[in-house]
Amino acid sequence: MQKVPGGILRAEPRERFLSKMAGQPRKVLVVAGGGASRLVECSVAIHALKKKYPAAETTLVASGVPREIAECVPDADKVVCTDGRDGAGTGLWGLLSWVWKSRFDVVLCQERDRRSELVALASGAPLRVGWRKGAGRLAFNEGASGPFPNGRDAPITALLDSIGVDTEGVRPRLKQPEGQGRFVGKFRARHGLGEKDKLVALCLSGSLEAARWPEVYFASLAEMLKERGFVPVLFGAKRDARSALEVGKAAGKPLVSCVGSSLEEMVSILSVCEVAVGGDSHLCHLAGAIGVPVVMIFGPTEPSRYPLGDKTIVMTASNSPCKPCWDLGRKRCPKLHHDCMRLVTPDEVLEKLRGVISLKTPVPQSKRPSRDKLPVTY
């Protein structure tokens, strides 16, 4: 650290710091944003940083996800959750105190928020990487400043590029949860499923309300899959219970579901699915990170903002020119037609699935919602 006029401490320039450390910092901290999708993005940062600085101890601070999921990031030497079990306290002040005492050399914060800025300042790290806009100019001495349309968070690759960390070919990846076999065994026994039953995950959640695929489409796709010998399984958070009921009602009978189960259990079951289908959601991002093929439907959100798995197939409505628009309508479509999601039909998704799983039985026309009967609201 060095003093500037006024007695304020300022971090040394990155080049001088890295030359002192012979290019190898001792301790690196990555602060993930809240939620599972942010954790998946941070797995890219941790893997890239580990390749750049193999001798450094890399620590991940995770929030908004269970510890069992945070520990699935394979390249993190240490995982810290703000639940009081790691000496980091249970709140913001406990976290700031722990960061200050830990003396990290490099701190990378994913989110653009006050919490990240305070963590960076409290760390006193010579190299602090984050969103350098507004108060972030004081908190971070390296990072991205934009412009990044349709969002408040810098893409994780832009932050890494700002400090010369190569992200070429680096994909999100997670390990299987430790209790994977136990969860899968109980799930199969509960629903009378055998080892040879082929599961297909239908992920009802959406990063935004406007990013959900219509329930009637999920029901139609589920019927098509069942006719081909697959077992469609509904996935979602507790708040998706109503959507699961609507899908079952549209399908004519209840479907196999793990909606409302713990995130650890759902990730375990996702890992044995043949493929996952859904909108831009944390479940689809998690499925892609653990190596499951995913057909992900993007509407109001922008796929280029996310690091996606090698087996992820992106679908968008080509005849919906108003997308992306998530900065305008988080809960409802600003134009009230939801074309970006409803114009991607079950037939088109099924066609994409042909490249992933073997589909032989022809689709009965009666099960297909035609384009002149597309749902208006959902």
Side-chain angles (χ1 to χ4, degrees):
M1 303 290 283
Q2 56 184 195
K3 279 195 174 183
V4 297
I8 300 174
L9 290 176
R10 185 181 67 185
E12 298 176 88
R14 171 168 60 93
E15 293 78 7
R16 187 184 305 173
F17 161 69
L18 292 180
S19 65
K20 284 184 178 181
M21 301 296 297
Q24 289 292 330
R26 294 174 293 105
K27 299 178 72 176
V28 176
L29 175 67
V30 176
V31 182
S37 296
R38 293 289 188 256
L39 182 72
V40 170
E41 292 180 46
C42 274
S43 71
V44 172
I46 291 176
H47 182 50
L49 287 166
K50 201 65 177 177
K51 287 177 62 179
K52 179 78 172 180
Y53 310 124
E57 179 188 66
T58 305
T59 301
L60 168 68
V61 171
S63 60
V65 293
R67 175 182 295 273
E68 294 78 12
I69 298 300
E71 290 176 345
C72 291
V73 178
D75 298 294
D77 297 310
K78 184 178 180 181
V79 175
V80 173
C81 296
T82 53
D83 55 9
R85 290 164 54 184
D86 303 293
T90 57
L92 177 60
W93 293 113
L95 176 62
L96 296 178
S97 176
W98 173 81
V99 168
W100 179 76
K101 294 175 182 177
S102 298
R103 301 298 182 188
F104 290 99
D105 300 313
V106 178
V107 173
L108 184 145
C109 296
Q110 179 187 26
E111 294 273 11
R112 180 194 169 195
D113 57 16
R114 291 291 178 264
R115 173 178 174 269
S116 298
E117 292 162 357
L118 289 171
V119 167
L121 287 171
S123 71
L127 183 58
R128 306 187 302 272
V129 187
W131 179 276
R132 299 191 70 242
K133 201 167 185 178
R137 294 183 181 276
L138 175 64
F140 305 107
N141 54 9
E142 292 288 345
S145 57
F148 296 102
N150 298 329
R152 67 187 186 94
D153 303 317
I156 197 71
T157 52
L159 296 179
L160 294 169
D161 290 343
S162 70
I163 55 173
V165 176
D166 184 21
T167 58
E168 185 69 28
V170 179
R171 299 295 183 189
R173 56 178 188 166
L174 297 176
K175 300 181 295 186
Q176 305 288 351
E178 288 188 2
Q180 187 253 6
R182 173 169 49 87
F183 283 122
V184 172
K186 288 183 177 180
F187 174 78
R188 289 186 182 275
R190 185 165 62 246
H191 295 283
L193 301 174
E195 293 291 335
K196 294 184 178 180
D197 286 318
K198 298 180 179 180
L199 310 182
V200 175
L202 304 182
C203 302
L204 306 180
S205 299
S207 57
L208 313 170
E209 287 296 321
R212 292 171 176 266
W213 206 40
E215 285 92 348
V216 65
Y217 284 7
F218 276 117
S220 178
L221 182 62
E223 288 297 310
M224 296 177 188
L225 291 169
K226 287 170 67 176
E227 290 169 356
R228 288 159 173 76
F230 292 92
V231 179
V233 182
L234 302 182
F235 286 79
K238 290 182 179 179
R239 64 178 179 272
D240 299 312
R242 183 176 178 181
S243 293
L245 291 175
E246 292 295 328
V247 173
K249 183 178 178 181
K253 54 184 174 181
L255 301 174
V256 176
S257 172
C258 58
V259 171
S261 301
S262 68
L263 192 59
E264 183 184 7
E265 181 177 356
M266 286 194 286
V267 171
S268 299
I269 299 167
L270 276 172
S271 67
V272 297
C273 290
E274 301 291 317
V275 65
V277 179
D280 174 16
S281 68
H282 66 291
L283 290 171
C284 283
H285 287 289
L286 286 168
I290 59 178
V292 176
V294 181
V295 175
M296 198 179 304
I297 304 161
F298 281 88
T301 54
E302 177 57 57
S304 63
R305 293 185 54 80
Y306 301 97
L308 301 175
D310 290 328
K311 298 180 181 180
T312 298
I313 300 172
V314 173
M315 293 192 68
T316 60
S318 58
N319 49 350
S320 178
C322 56
K323 66 178 191 309
C325 64
W326 76 283
D327 57 329
L328 301 176
R330 285 182 168 271
K331 292 188 176 181
R332 300 188 68 85
C333 171
K335 297 190 176 182
L336 302 179
H337 53 53
H338 295 279
D339 279 353
C340 60
M341 297 301 291
R342 70 189 188 96
L343 290 180
V344 180
T345 64
D347 279 339
E348 294 168 334
V349 173
L350 192 71
E351 193 61 34
K352 288 291 184 181
L353 290 176
R354 292 184 187 279
V356 181
I357 55 179
S358 177
L359 299 173
K360 299 178 180 179
T361 308
V363 181
Q365 294 290 334
S366 60
K367 298 293 184 181
R368 302 181 183 180
S370 60
R371 282 189 175 273
D372 59 345
K373 294 183 179 180
L374 295 175
V376 177
T377 59
Y378 55 96

